[in-house]
Amino acid sequence: MTINAEVPVAAARGGPVAAAAGHGERDAEGTTSGADLVLPLLAVGGVGVLAGYGYVRRTRRGRTRTTPGVVSAQPPVTPLPTLERQAGTALVQADDCLRTSREELAFVEARFGAAAVEPFVRALREAERELSAAFSIRLRYGHGVPEEEAARRQALAGIVGRCAEAGRRLDTEAPAFDQLRALEREMNEALGVAEARFRELTGRTGGVEATLAGLRHAHYPAPATTTSISASTSVSAPTSATTVTGYVEQAKDRLVFATTHLNQARQAADLGHTGEAIRALRAAEGAISQADTFLNAVDRLANSLADAAELVPATLTGAEADIARATTKGATGPLHTQLAHTQLTQTQLAHAHTTLAAVREELTGDHSYGYDPLDALRRIVQAMLPLGATRDGVLSAAAWLVARNDVGSADGFVATHRGAVGVEARTRLTEAELLLKTDPAAADVPALDARELAEQDVRVHGNPYAGAADEHTSGVGGAVLGGILLGEDPDGGPPLAFGGPATRKRRGLPPT
């Protein structure tokens, strides 16, 4: 710029600005200088700089301000209860995937042999390890470990991550699994395997029904009993027959459902409707597996009761002898040593005496009022557990027999009602399964708890398909309750298949 005493004028220079100034000049008769354009441009530029500076300051204040109504750049913290629900949902879904995958794998192994399914068995084991670790984290979490909130959040994230890995492992194998089954090309062979197993179960049903009737007559007029385990713990133990009440009827319900869907699969295959045939076959296979579980539960109980009846006298005599030796002055032995090194109360000893006396009276008395040998063993074991006398000898064998039966009972109930059973029951079941390997006497309580919690879940869930009775929907309620069908549609939804969350619904109807 050049300066004089009058008006500013633009300095003469080349380039775009000078050219613009030249275009802006007019003659002396009516006119505007190029400087008149430059000054407004400079003013506008100054305003822009100030506006930009103000925007930057406002943005910085907004990022750090905590005034209500101002959105912070920090993401909101998810409440802990929400994370707990997400972890619980992940555990239930992963457990369902594993159970469904095991069921379908059994049909494939029956057709192709153990060697052919080894990769899928290996994938299942790896997924089981991940899920077991996730449940172990939840067990510790339920006992308050860890305590700090940040660490508890990490624990919940670990649960979700391990469940995701279990599902991913199964999802990875799903394509190879379908390739082995080759249902699109070999439907008749797969149907033959399912139909053979269906016929075998149908033939067993009458015999199992007679077995159950005999068990009721022999053992179960007696009411349920409540056994105190210690001063702070008690467990309600129903008589053994109640654990399989209605199981034969439920097995028949699953077999009716299987009949319908096996017929549908045959008809669809004959018509060349491959997708429909596969869906019907998978639904039938799931129902057949669960009918087998119901019938096996009755047979397992009958065998456990027979074994318990033989074991009760020796267990009772051994327990009485242990207490007598331990309370005799100068006596020696494992239980006496235990009594000497623990703060056992006279109440616990008195309770053990009372329990053993009651079982002795039942054993030698009139059985017309009911005698449940499994329950008798359970009461002996639980009475002796606080005394530390269940790790050796006949008491150890009794503890193993009772716990094995009760863990199996809880697992079978969860498997056949998994569409309604939540995470608490499954967590207690996992705890019982882990204890069964290390401390069978302690496994009985979480096993009974798991069964009770699962039954509560089923009662709360109800049966939205209870009114379905035509040939296409008969048994749908039980199939949804059992997790055979996902329950997303009026007809029960898609049947579930081998795989994780991303692949287990692949046998459903194609999206429209």
Side-chain angles (χ1 to χ4, degrees):
M1 303 282 296
T2 58
I3 302 176
N4 58 27
E6 300 177 1
V7 232
V9 292
R13 61 182 176 183
V17 175
H23 287 301
E25 289 177 354
R26 298 183 184 174
D27 56 23
E29 292 182 351
T31 80
T32 301
S33 167
D36 294 333
L37 294 176
V38 172
L39 285 177
L41 287 172
L42 292 174
V44 171
V47 170
V49 171
L50 292 174
Y53 176 70
Y55 172 80
V56 171
R57 293 199 60 185
R58 286 194 303 273
T59 302
R60 289 176 178 172
R61 284 199 305 269
R63 288 176 180 169
T64 56
R65 184 181 298 174
T66 58
T67 306
V70 177
V71 178
S72 171
Q74 293 270 339
V77 177
T78 304
L80 206 57
T82 300
L83 296 177
E84 290 170 353
R85 286 193 296 272
Q86 292 171 352
T89 300
L91 284 166
V92 169
Q93 185 181 70
D95 191 39
D96 284 349
C97 290
L98 278 165
R99 292 179 182 276
T100 299
S101 297
R102 288 191 205 105
E103 290 174 357
E104 186 174 3
L105 187 60
F107 288 92
V108 180
E109 183 174 355
R111 183 181 169 204
F112 295 102
V117 300
E118 180 57 33
F120 312 111
V121 171
R122 194 162 51 247
L124 268 173
R125 288 173 183 161
E126 293 171 1
E128 286 167 353
R129 283 195 291 270
E130 293 291 342
L131 183 60
S132 179
F135 270 118
S136 296
I137 296 172
R138 189 171 191 295
L139 279 169
R140 293 192 295 272
Y141 187 94
H143 291 122
V145 180
E147 296 181 355
E148 300 80 10
E149 181 174 335
R152 290 177 75 78
R153 290 177 177 276
Q154 291 177 357
L156 294 173
I159 292 172
V160 173
R162 288 198 176 265
C163 290
E165 178 58 23
R168 185 202 65 78
R169 189 68 187 88
L170 296 176
D171 284 329
T172 300
E173 296 296 332
F177 186 84
D178 289 347
Q179 186 176 5
L180 175 63
R181 293 211 77 180
L183 294 177
E184 292 79 4
R185 302 188 308 273
E186 302 176 9
M187 172 60 67
N188 288 334
E189 290 82 351
L191 272 169
V193 172
E195 288 167 344
R197 194 169 173 192
F198 170 83
R199 287 191 295 270
E200 185 267 329
L201 292 174
T202 302
R204 279 181 58 197
T205 303
V208 173
E209 193 167 22
T211 298
L212 181 56
L215 293 177
R216 289 196 189 106
H217 177 73
H219 300 294
Y220 301 111
T225 59
T226 301
T227 302
S228 175
I229 298 173
S230 67
S232 60
T233 307
S234 65
V235 60
S236 177
T239 54
S240 298
T242 62
T243 63
V244 293
T245 297
Y247 271 26
V248 174
E249 288 75 13
Q250 292 186 68
K252 290 178 180 178
D253 179 74
R254 298 294 196 276
L255 291 174
V256 168
F257 180 87
T259 300
T260 301
H261 286 76
L262 286 173
N263 290 336
Q264 291 176 357
R266 277 287 179 196
Q267 294 167 4
D270 291 342
L271 295 172
H273 300 163
T274 305
E276 183 181 339
I278 293 174
R279 287 190 294 275
L281 173 65
R282 275 302 304 134
E285 288 175 342
I288 291 168
S289 293
Q290 294 196 5
D292 193 18
T293 301
F294 282 123
L295 298 179
N296 285 340
V298 177
D299 286 339
R300 180 183 62 244
L301 176 60
N303 293 332
S304 295
L305 284 166
D307 292 341
E310 294 182 1
L311 197 56
V312 166
T315 305
L316 181 58
T317 300
E320 291 170 337
D322 278 346
I323 290 183
R325 283 194 299 269
T327 55
T328 299
K329 186 175 181 179
T332 60
L335 181 54
H336 183 268
T337 303
Q338 177 74 8
L339 287 167
H341 289 87
T342 58
Q343 300 297 319
L344 297 174
T345 66
Q346 292 300 313
T347 302
Q348 290 170 318
L349 286 170
H351 168 68
H353 276 296
T354 302
T355 300
L356 297 182
V359 173
R360 174 67 69 184
E361 183 177 355
E362 291 174 8
L363 184 62
T364 59
D366 183 3
H367 290 179
S368 63
Y369 294 101
Y371 169 60
D372 182 347
L374 261 178
D375 184 55
L377 272 187
R378 182 184 294 110
R379 287 151 59 200
I380 295 171
V381 170
Q382 291 173 351
M384 299 298 290
L385 182 60
L387 312 183
T390 59
R391 294 184 178 274
D392 300 299
V394 67
L395 278 167
S396 175
W400 163 255
L401 174 61
V402 171
R404 182 187 61 185
N405 179 78
D406 290 341
V407 170
S409 171
D411 182 66
F413 188 90
V414 171
T416 53
H417 299 79
R418 61 180 178 262
V421 176
V423 69
E424 295 298 335
R426 298 178 196 237
T427 303
R428 290 293 274 168
L429 174 58
T430 300
E431 181 180 10
E433 290 170 338
L434 294 173
L435 287 171
L436 186 62
K437 301 173 183 177
T438 58
D439 188 2
D444 191 50
V445 174
L448 293 174
D449 284 348
R451 175 67 187 253
E452 183 178 357
L453 289 167
E455 289 177 350
Q456 290 175 3
D457 288 340
V458 171
R459 287 194 294 270
V460 171
H461 181 270
N463 183 2
Y465 298 89
D470 61 58
E471 63 172 327
H472 297 291
T473 57
S474 179
V476 167
V480 173
L481 182 63
I484 299 165
L485 304 179
L486 201 55
E488 294 180 341
D489 303 312
D491 65 349
L496 299 179
F498 180 102
T503 58
R504 65 175 185 158
K505 295 193 290 184
R506 65 188 182 277
R507 299 305 192 184
L509 292 171
T512 56

